[in-house]
Amino acid sequence: DSGVTQTPKHLITATGQRVTLRCSPRSGDLSVYWYQQSLDQGLQFLIQYYNGEERAKGNILERFSAQQFPDLHSELNLSSLELGDSALYFCASSSTDSRMETQYFGPGTRLLVL
Amino acid sequence: AQSVAQPEDQVNVAEGNPLTVKCTYSVSGNPYLFWYVQYPNRGLQFLLKYITGDNLVKGSYGFEAEFNKSQTSFHLKKPSALVSDSALYFCAAYNFNKFYFGSGTKLNVKP
């Protein structure tokens, strides 16, 4: 158990809908990272937050947004969902904003868009 | 384009034999390099990382990785494979605020 929690574990929704994925980092960790793992795109880095501020941006679509709250939990919002958004979404946390730090991954949220 | 390549989709090895999972990268500068493992229905787990220094990096569960700058490679190795090592392995590179992941290599260790 990494100490990173993600809810929900599974999510089934329809095209055009909007969903919110939630991540709670390990106690004391200030950085949260979001990743998408899909069959056709593989594993992709989406975005990083550190202590409430956006730190780095990867291949995140404009339909997706994220934020990190004062209690350090983070939410990834996915809107106008398309079939191709079906994937496993991971969050990870680390103690600082340095990419040298080891990241600890949550178990993921499996999203299925029908 | 920046990328990480794992040329083998699958590697099969007998238990007790040495294993190698290959990774090459095409990322500018001096990227940090990582290996992660993913067990079925679970998230990724960190194995090891190379930042600078000794070209042989030791990590979790007896794994090590050899960095070769001239070949831009970062191969994952283990002297003696275990059946429990069977999983999906990802190589990753980080530079300029972005992570690049390989497509993953499925390792099958047979008893």
Side-chain angles (χ1 to χ4, degrees):
Chain A
D1 183 5
S2 66
V4 177
T5 60
Q6 289 186 248
T7 56
K9 286 187 177 180
H10 302 278
L11 199 49
I12 302 175
T13 189
T15 54
Q17 295 298 306
R18 172 188 161 95
V19 296
T20 297
L21 314 183
R22 182 188 170 104
C23 169
S24 293
R26 292 188 322 154
S27 177
D29 283 357
L30 299 178
S31 265
V32 172
Y33 305 76
W34 284 98
Y35 297 87
Q36 179 195 57
Q37 185 178 28
S38 62
L39 286 175
D40 56 346
Q41 297 286 333
L43 192 58
Q44 293 193 90
F45 165 65
L46 295 179
I47 197 165
Q48 180 207 356
Y49 277 82
Y50 174 75
N51 205 20
E53 293 186 2
E54 183 183 305
R55 263 294 191 264
K57 216 167 191 177
N59 299 325
I60 188 166
L61 300 173
E62 285 191 10
R63 300 184 285 109
F64 296 0
S65 64
Q67 54 184 327
Q68 186 178 27
F69 294 86
D71 67 351
L72 301 177
H73 91 272
S74 178
E75 292 181 356
L76 179 66
N77 299 297
L78 315 177
S79 62
S80 302
L81 285 167
E82 302 175 359
L83 296 177
D85 298 328
S86 296
L88 191 54
Y89 291 84
F90 289 110
C91 85
S93 73
S94 65
S95 55
T96 72
D97 65 341
S98 168
R99 262 64 69 189
M100 291 172 59
E101 292 289 332
T102 298
Q103 294 181 30
Y104 295 88
F105 283 77
T109 293
R110 189 172 294 278
L111 173 67
L112 180 60
V113 182
L114 300 176
Chain B
Q2 317 272 331
S3 64
V4 172
Q6 292 180 242
E8 301 154 318
D9 290 338
Q10 186 165 301
V11 169
N12 298 312
V13 64
E15 187 174 32
N17 283 0
L19 69 88
T20 298
V21 183
K22 296 179 181 176
C23 171
T24 58
Y25 62 93
S26 177
V27 176
S28 56
N30 296 306
Y32 302 154
L33 300 166
F34 303 83
W35 275 102
Y36 293 91
V37 59
Q38 185 177 26
Y39 296 100
N41 300 315
R42 294 179 63 179
L44 277 73
Q45 292 181 36
F46 167 82
L47 276 181
L48 49 80
K49 64 186 174 189
Y50 175 82
I51 306 298
T52 187
D54 194 352
N55 290 345
L56 188 63
V57 179
K58 294 193 182 296
S60 307
Y61 313 121
F63 283 93
E64 56 191 25
E66 187 170 12
F67 170 67
N68 187 317
K69 186 170 185 176
S70 62
Q71 297 184 5
T72 61
S73 67
F74 190 56
H75 300 332
L76 181 70
K77 300 183 178 185
K78 188 172 182 180
S80 178
L82 299 172
V83 172
S84 57
D85 293 331
S86 298
L88 188 58
Y89 290 81
F90 289 95
C91 178
Y94 168 79
N95 207 7
F96 302 119
N97 277 1
K98 289 195 176 183
F99 278 96
Y100 305 90
F101 284 86
S103 55
T105 298
K106 186 176 180 183
L107 175 64
N108 293 315
V109 181
K110 298 182 179 180

